[in-house]
């Protein structure tokens, strides 16, 4: 039997092949100019990326993790204060908090959106914490430490429900840092402001990653902080560059966390395609949804609330027998991913935080059942039909590779 053509989970080759001449010309300019770190290429990309995010300032850094860490520090979140985030995220969210000298704490996610549940956040701030009458600080009763900041994560390309998060932050004087590492171009309809707002323009600051697989990815590593606050922008610029205000004048100890000029050149070229790429992801997501609903497959497709304009970094479904489905799809030549299999509070790295199974039940349930299907700009309808057909074959107990006829029947049912 012929092996079917491989369908990758993510295609990092085709978009770069299409932009090859432009990318190579940009690299050529960097070689000729000899400006590899900082300089005009970084500054013009920063301006364009900030404008794309409707933010006043953009500061290029070496990674999304740096962006998060610098944003926490630059926003003035005090060392040893608590930064509250969600267990359903990449570990970088947690790393940035600890490495900024803060303490990690979690609130659970919403079972439909998979993002921070504002009701759980309210409960945390109102019931697990109390305002110290002497200092006016909000103190977590269990940890006996002040709460300094909240990091909602815009996971899978969909913004967290920001209005209630921002309301609560305002009420308690907390900093809000958006983890927008998966949400370049995503939008949120703010009832408070009565308008759509871009990811990266809502909190005190936001962090973006340009890791190659992100919606806007470098040909290497990169990240950015966006903010409307000139002080946060200025401090982030110092933090990424050894705390320098000017060469060899160090206002503080910082880091080596700069965006290099070669990546900035690549990112500037790719940024011009980002809106079109995000639209292609949105079309692909819509197509998956209608194919799945026509197929009657018993899986949970992603929920998109009407206040979110999702950019579909990932297309995440939920199935009870995830392991079996991964194996079936893998045998059929279809790549998948899990984002993420273990919630942060149960990672070995965070054993010392003292959490146990059952502490964040929604995150735990979701992490056990989620599966990311192939999603990238340029994903073709026939490839999506194949994914839906194979998922349907697995869920209905058949094996379409062994039983082509059944699979063809399902395909007919899907397309009719
Ligand atoms: C990718 C990612 C990061 C970290 O970005 P890097 O560029 O890999 O350091 C942080 N948070 C989330 C949610 C991410 O997906």
């Amino acid at each position: 039997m012929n092996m079917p053509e491989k369908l990758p989970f993510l295609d990092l080759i085709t978009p770069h092949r299409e932009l090859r001449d432009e990318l190579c010309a940009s690299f050529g300019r960097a070689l000729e100019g000899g400006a590899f770190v900082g300089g005009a290429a970084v500054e013009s990309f920063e301006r364009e990326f900030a404008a794309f995010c409707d933010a006043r300032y953009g500061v290029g850094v070496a990674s999304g993790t740096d962006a998060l860490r610098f944003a926490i520090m630059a926003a003035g979140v005090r060392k040893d204060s608590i930064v509250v985030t969600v267990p359903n995220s990449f570990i970088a969210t947690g790393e940035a908090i600890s490495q900024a000298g803060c303490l990690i704490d979690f609130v659970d996610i919403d079972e439909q959106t998979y993002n921070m549940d504002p009701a759980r956040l309210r409960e945390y701030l109102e019931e697990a914490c109390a305002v110290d009458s002497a200092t006016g600080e909000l103190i977590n009763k269990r940890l006996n430490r002040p709460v300094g900041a909240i990091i909602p994560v815009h996971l899978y390309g969909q913004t967290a429900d920001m209005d209630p998060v921002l309301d609560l932050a305002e009420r308690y004087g907390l900093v809000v840092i958006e983890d927008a590492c998966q949400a370049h171009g995503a939008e949120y309809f703010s009832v408070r402001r009565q308008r759509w707002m871009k990811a990266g323009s809502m909190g005190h600051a936001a962090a973006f990653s340009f890791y190659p697989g992100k919606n806007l990815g470098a040909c290497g590593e990169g990240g950015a902080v966006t903010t409307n606050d000139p002080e946060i922008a200025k401090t982030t610029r110092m933090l990424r560059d050894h705390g320098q205000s000017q060469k060899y004048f160090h206002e503080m100890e910082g880091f080596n966390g700069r965006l290099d000029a070669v990546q900035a050149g690549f990112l500037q070229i790719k940024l011009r395609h980002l809106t079109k790429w995000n639209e292609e992801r949105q079309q692909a997501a819509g197509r998956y949804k209608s194919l799945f609903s026509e197929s009657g497959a018993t899986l949970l497709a992603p929920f998109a609330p009407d206040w979110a304009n999702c950019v579909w970094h990932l297309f995440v479904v939920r199935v009870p027998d995830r392991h079996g489905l991964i194996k079936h799809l893998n045998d059929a030549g279809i790549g998948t991913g899990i984002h993420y299999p273990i919630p942060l509070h149960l990672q070995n790295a965070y054993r010392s935080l003292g959490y146990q199974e059952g502490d964040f039940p929604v995150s735990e349930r979701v992490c056990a059942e989620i599966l990311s299907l192939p999603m990238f700009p340029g994903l073709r309808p026939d490839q999506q039909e194949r994914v839906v057909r194979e998922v349907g074959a697995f869920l209905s107990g058949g094996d379409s590779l062994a039983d082509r006829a059944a699979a063809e029947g399902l395909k007919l049912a899907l397309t009719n």
Side-chain angles (χ1 to χ4, degrees):
M1 189 172 71
N2 283 340
M3 273 309 287
E5 177 208 0
K6 282 251 181 257
L7 172 54
F9 166 65
L10 170 67
D11 178 8
L12 286 179
I13 294 170
T14 312
H16 296 106
R17 193 181 285 147
E18 286 166 1
L19 296 176
R20 189 192 157 94
D21 291 347
E22 270 185 275
L23 295 172
C24 288
S26 167
F27 184 47
R29 282 192 295 280
L31 289 181
E32 272 152 37
F36 298 116
V37 176
V42 172
E43 284 164 24
S44 63
F45 169 68
E46 287 176 337
R47 273 194 303 275
E48 288 179 22
F49 187 68
F52 176 84
C53 298
D54 289 340
R56 281 175 68 193
Y57 306 98
V59 183
V61 297
S63 68
T65 312
D66 274 357
L68 280 166
R69 173 158 32 86
F70 297 165
I72 296 166
M73 299 176 83
V77 181
R78 283 203 350 241
K79 285 211 162 101
D80 291 324
S81 65
I82 296 167
V83 177
V84 183
T85 190
V86 285
N88 185 29
S89 185
F90 183 53
I91 192 170
T93 319
E95 288 171 326
I97 295 170
S98 323
Q99 290 165 9
C102 300
L103 306 174
I104 306 172
D105 211 352
F106 300 110
V107 294
D108 213 344
I109 57 169
D110 175 271
E111 185 133 16
Q112 284 195 293
T113 63
Y114 308 147
N115 277 328
M116 181 177 276
D117 184 342
R120 295 287 89 77
L121 179 66
R122 178 186 306 275
E123 215 171 74
Y124 179 93
L125 299 174
E126 289 179 354
E127 291 167 28
C129 302
V131 177
D132 181 315
S133 53
T135 63
E137 284 179 323
L138 185 69
I139 307 289
N140 177 282
K141 292 185 269 190
R142 180 176 63 90
L143 298 168
N144 196 27
R145 299 297 320 164
V147 181
I150 307 165
I151 304 188
V153 182
H154 305 322
L155 207 66
Y156 309 149
Q158 183 167 299
T159 60
D161 187 3
M162 291 298 287
D163 276 348
V165 172
L166 292 167
D167 281 343
L168 286 163
E170 242 164 57
R171 182 174 333 146
Y172 292 105
L174 308 176
V175 166
V176 175
I177 310 281
E178 299 167 64
D179 183 339
C181 287
Q182 300 191 2
H184 319 65
E187 291 177 316
Y188 173 75
F189 188 81
S190 169
V191 173
R192 293 175 13 136
R193 303 277 186 90
Q194 275 303 302
R195 62 183 173 91
W196 286 94
M197 298 188 76
K198 279 274 181 80
S201 72
M202 294 179 278
H204 294 86
F208 289 88
S209 165
F210 304 128
Y211 186 73
K214 304 292 165 104
N215 286 35
L216 177 63
C219 304
E221 304 273 359
V225 172
T226 56
T227 181
N228 291 323
D229 182 330
E231 285 305 311
I232 293 179
K234 188 173 146 214
T235 309
T236 304
R237 287 204 177 89
M238 289 198 273
L239 283 170
R240 72 174 173 185
D241 196 19
H242 300 289
Q244 296 187 127
S245 54
Q246 47 177 308
K247 203 167 176 72
Y248 303 134
F249 287 76
H250 305 272
E251 306 300 327
M252 61 180 98
E253 269 197 358
F255 300 84
N256 178 348
R258 297 168 298 234
L259 176 66
D260 77 65
V262 176
Q263 296 307 329
F266 295 153
L267 286 164
Q268 193 167 23
I269 290 164
K270 294 178 76 177
L271 179 59
R272 292 182 200 127
H273 300 267
L274 181 55
T275 300
K276 180 193 70 192
W277 285 335
N278 280 346
E279 282 165 10
E280 288 180 30
R281 288 174 184 271
Q282 286 167 337
Q283 281 161 11
R287 214 181 289 125
Y288 265 140
K289 283 194 163 196
S290 56
L291 287 170
F292 276 124
S293 73
E294 286 166 32
S295 81
T298 52
L299 94 178
L300 201 57
F303 170 74
D306 53 15
W307 44 258
N309 187 15
C310 183
V311 292
W312 302 99
H313 174 58
L314 297 167
F315 190 87
V316 176
V317 297
R318 253 176 95 177
V319 283
D321 182 9
R322 171 173 68 193
H323 185 73
L325 180 55
I326 291 172
K327 188 179 175 310
H328 177 92
L329 292 177
N330 185 57
D331 290 346
I334 296 169
T336 56
I338 304 174
H339 303 87
Y340 297 90
I342 301 176
L344 293 181
H345 68 287
L346 298 180
Q347 292 283 358
N348 285 341
Y350 291 133
R351 211 181 278 154
S352 65
L353 297 182
Y355 288 112
Q356 297 172 5
E357 233 177 286
D359 284 342
F360 300 102
V362 181
S363 294
E364 291 166 25
R365 263 200 307 281
V366 165
C367 286
E369 295 186 350
I370 46 178
L371 181 67
S372 309
L373 298 178
M375 170 54 81
F376 47 85
L379 181 64
R380 297 192 314 264
D382 64 295
Q383 293 174 315
Q384 294 190 272
E385 280 164 24
R386 183 173 145 206
V387 173
V388 173
R389 185 167 73 232
E390 292 296 345
V391 170
F394 173 76
L395 292 176
S396 63
D399 181 340
S400 76
L401 277 182
D403 189 355
R404 293 247 157 218
E408 285 310 309
L410 190 66
K411 183 184 176 189
L412 274 179
L414 282 176
T415 47
N416 279 343

